[in-house]
Amino acid sequence: MAKYFLNRNAQSNGDHEVHKEGCYWLTLIANKKDLGYHSSCHSAVLEAKKTYRQSNGCATCSNECHTS
């Protein structure tokens, strides 16, 4: 199980990215929401979509959930 976070600031395409604890990009995000522990990025993205419908996995740390 890994801990995931949601970037509250949208990317230029409107996506709010989901990052796994330890991701390089997570260190650069000041405004994030703790999504808790998940067995995969899939469940973390589902949790994120409860806050922001346009949520997506980070291409670096959650590549299998990165869709745009």
Side-chain angles (χ1 to χ4, degrees):
M1 301 269 285
K3 194 168 190 175
Y4 287 86
F5 294 87
L6 173 64
N7 186 348
R8 291 185 184 270
N9 300 317
Q11 302 297 308
S12 59
N13 66 358
D15 284 353
H16 291 267
E17 288 191 332
V18 172
H19 298 272
K20 189 187 309 187
E21 187 172 48
C23 178
Y24 166 77
W25 298 109
L26 185 60
T27 63
L28 304 176
I29 300 169
N31 193 4
K32 57 191 167 225
K33 177 181 180 179
D34 185 341
L35 295 172
Y37 289 90
H38 294 269
S39 57
S40 73
C41 64
H42 299 287
S43 62
V45 169
L46 286 175
E47 183 65 28
K49 287 185 179 208
K50 293 177 183 177
T51 303
Y52 298 110
R53 194 176 81 195
Q54 193 172 336
S55 294
N56 189 16
C58 168
T60 302
C61 66
S62 300
N63 193 333
E64 61 272 20
C65 296
H66 180 74
T67 58
S68 60

